[in-house]
Amino acid sequence: MNKELLEAMEILEKEKNISKDTMIEAIENSLITACKNHFGKADNVRVAMNRTTGDFAVYAEKEVVEEVEDSIMEISLADARMISPKYVIGDTVQVPLDSKKFGRIATQNAKNVILQKIREEERKALYNDYYSMEKDVATGIVQRYLGRNISINLGKVDAILNESEQVKGETFRPTERIKVYILEVKDTTKGPRISVSRTHPDLVKRLFEEEVSEVHDGTVEIKAIAREAGSRTKIAVKSNEAGVDPVGACVGVNGARVNAIVNELRGEKIDIINWDENPAYLIENALSPAKVICVVADEEAREAQVIVPDYQLSLAIGKEGQNARLAARLTGFKIDIKSETQAKEMGLFEQMGLQYGDGSAPVYEEEGCGNEEEYEASGEDAAQDDYREESSEQ
């Protein structure tokens, strides 16, 4: 029986990740509960269990008295000396209890205590496992649609992909494997409740960490990311090691690395740009693939004035303003884009210290970056122009 008990505990330890010590503690508590149900109280009951053999003993500690008033807490001197002649008045005697004589109700209650402890420990182990994965990417299997939400199996527990965290237009089939970003893990009485996302910007970041070894080991650092899920993402990368091209590392040979991420994101376009501490250069990079004539950035006001060639205006703004909007989110600057002709008419070249048409190089003001997500894009209506859907890395 004891051998079977130990084997059962070892199986539970492997399958449920519940320690043997925890289960032994649960058995000890269940025996004390059974004693309380059988005798009415169990304040003086002790359980000793051998962790190696599984043998256990239940006994009550009773005080030796001349005249017994409480048979549960006291024992007469005559009865005590039947156990051992050395006992005297005032000693404490350990009286063995036969757990096999416990009634059906007491036994059932003891069983319930053990089962409840196992369920609690299993829930706690699951919560700890998945809590450590919070803010990380996991691979899940699509189970079923729950209204407009989707149930995703993450192995030992199901997660919920809410409608608000789904990419517009994405549809999934049952048993399909997808990558999700774990937003939050909550501990509930029914087990961990996990919320996941397909729209979070950090999903792209974690995918790059998985796919690009240089990002994973810190050689290449992702400094900023701006995403419109399902459509386009811009990321700014920086190399922490001389001689390593951060953009090239993320793109991979023939685009293999970035294409693997694009495929996982169902065709979402990814622009990878070089990070620059100079905000003007960073803004110029962020507006890629559009070419820029001049950028003047005001760090205090968190604003930037950008001049682009006439034929590049719609590309700089992007379809429905997307390119400028993502660039603003990436850099943290409010970006005002003007065409070359508009800048000339408004006298912006003179304000920037450039004479229009003199062949001068672009002028930059060295300013920092922030986190504002506003953008301003004036000029032609970008929605009516063709937007060249090219990623900057191509």
Side-chain angles (χ1 to χ4, degrees):
M1 175 63 184
N2 295 335
K3 183 180 178 182
E4 293 174 356
L5 177 63
L6 289 174
E7 288 176 354
M9 287 192 290
E10 288 172 1
I11 292 171
L12 280 172
E13 190 171 32
K14 291 177 182 177
E15 292 185 355
K16 305 291 186 180
N17 198 23
I18 304 172
S19 71
K20 189 185 295 184
D21 288 340
T22 299
M23 287 182 281
I24 289 175
E25 183 184 340
I27 293 171
E28 291 174 347
N29 290 335
S30 71
L31 290 170
I32 292 174
T33 301
C35 289
K36 189 172 183 179
N37 281 276
H38 186 73
F39 298 110
K41 63 167 68 173
D43 297 339
N44 63 332
V45 174
R46 301 291 180 267
V47 178
M49 191 164 184
N50 189 309
R51 260 66 171 169
T52 305
T53 64
D55 294 331
F56 65 90
V58 184
Y59 57 88
E61 294 181 341
K62 297 186 179 184
E63 184 183 356
V64 180
V65 295
E66 191 72 48
E67 187 177 340
V68 177
E69 295 181 358
D70 185 347
S71 61
I72 296 176
M73 304 296 292
E74 298 171 342
I75 186 172
S76 67
L77 180 59
D79 289 341
R81 285 184 171 173
M82 289 179 66
I83 298 172
S84 175
K86 67 178 183 179
Y87 288 118
V88 297
I89 300 295
D91 284 349
T92 299
V93 179
Q94 293 184 346
V95 181
L97 299 177
D98 189 356
S99 59
K100 293 181 180 179
K101 293 182 179 179
F102 291 165
R104 180 180 60 82
I105 295 176
T107 305
Q108 185 63 39
N109 288 339
K111 175 185 174 183
N112 291 338
V113 169
I114 296 173
L115 292 176
Q116 182 179 354
K117 184 66 175 178
I118 290 174
R119 283 193 293 266
E120 287 177 359
E121 290 301 316
E122 183 181 5
R123 187 174 68 243
K124 188 187 297 184
L126 275 176
Y127 173 75
N128 291 335
D129 285 346
Y130 285 96
Y131 182 75
S132 65
M133 296 170 64
E134 198 174 64
K135 311 303 179 188
D136 206 346
V137 167
T139 300
I141 300 174
V142 177
Q143 296 290 94
R144 60 192 178 279
Y145 278 82
L146 304 172
R148 295 186 176 181
N149 301 331
I150 304 173
S151 175
I152 310 289
N153 182 264
L154 297 180
K156 296 180 180 179
V157 68
D158 286 352
I160 300 298
L161 179 61
N162 292 317
E163 182 186 11
S164 60
E165 299 297 337
Q166 297 173 31
V167 176
K168 188 176 180 181
E170 271 192 350
T171 57
F172 304 105
R173 302 183 307 275
T175 72
E176 190 173 356
R177 299 178 72 87
I178 61 171
K179 298 272 190 181
V180 291
Y181 180 76
I182 299 179
L183 285 174
E184 185 181 36
V185 181
K186 286 184 178 179
D187 192 16
T188 70
T189 55
K190 295 183 179 179
R193 179 179 176 83
I194 304 174
S195 299
V196 296
S197 173
R198 286 277 294 176
T199 62
H200 201 283
D202 280 352
L203 172 62
V204 181
K205 184 177 181 179
R206 299 299 183 207
L207 289 175
F208 270 98
E209 290 174 356
E210 286 186 356
E211 192 68 33
V212 182
S213 58
E214 290 85 351
V215 175
H216 180 74
D217 62 24
T219 303
V220 174
E221 181 181 356
I222 297 176
K223 297 289 290 184
I225 185 165
R227 185 184 185 203
E228 290 191 358
S231 180
R232 196 176 207 94
T233 292
K234 284 181 181 285
I235 67 170
V237 294
K238 174 188 175 184
S239 174
N240 292 322
E241 188 175 309
V244 176
D245 175 18
V247 174
C250 291
V251 172
V253 179
N254 295 325
R257 288 175 168 179
V258 72
N259 284 340
I261 297 170
V262 168
N263 291 337
E264 178 59 44
L265 298 176
R266 308 295 178 93
E268 182 175 318
K269 302 207 179 297
I270 300 176
D271 292 344
I272 306 172
I273 69 163
N274 280 304
W275 171 265
D276 201 299
E277 296 298 337
N278 184 322
Y281 284 108
L282 178 62
I283 290 168
E284 180 185 6
N285 294 341
L287 287 171
S288 175
K291 306 301 179 184
V292 173
I293 293 176
C294 180
V295 179
V296 176
D298 184 345
E299 185 174 10
E300 290 185 3
R302 315 306 302 164
E303 296 178 349
Q305 190 75 246
V306 179
I307 300 175
V308 300
D310 291 350
Y311 70 94
Q312 291 278 295
L313 180 61
S314 62
L315 184 61
I317 295 172
K319 186 176 182 180
E320 298 178 351
Q322 185 186 67
N323 195 55
R325 186 165 59 248
L326 286 174
R329 290 179 185 171
L330 190 74
T331 62
F333 276 70
K334 179 180 178 182
I335 301 174
D336 184 10
I337 303 175
K338 296 289 190 296
S339 69
E340 194 173 1
T341 300
Q342 290 171 332
K344 179 185 176 184
E345 292 173 351
M346 296 171 66
L348 293 180
F349 284 100
E350 290 75 10
Q351 293 177 25
M352 296 176 181
L354 279 176
Q355 183 157 351
Y356 178 69
D358 67 355
S360 299
V363 174
Y364 298 93
E365 284 187 11
E366 221 173 286
E367 305 290 350
C369 295
N371 294 308
E372 291 292 321
E373 293 191 358
E374 301 177 276
Y375 82 100
E376 215 173 79
S378 57
E380 302 170 18
D381 183 5
Q384 296 178 0
D385 295 294
D386 291 330
Y387 178 62
R388 194 176 69 190
E389 298 281 347
E390 293 180 356
S391 298
S392 62
E393 72 270 8
Q394 294 176 329

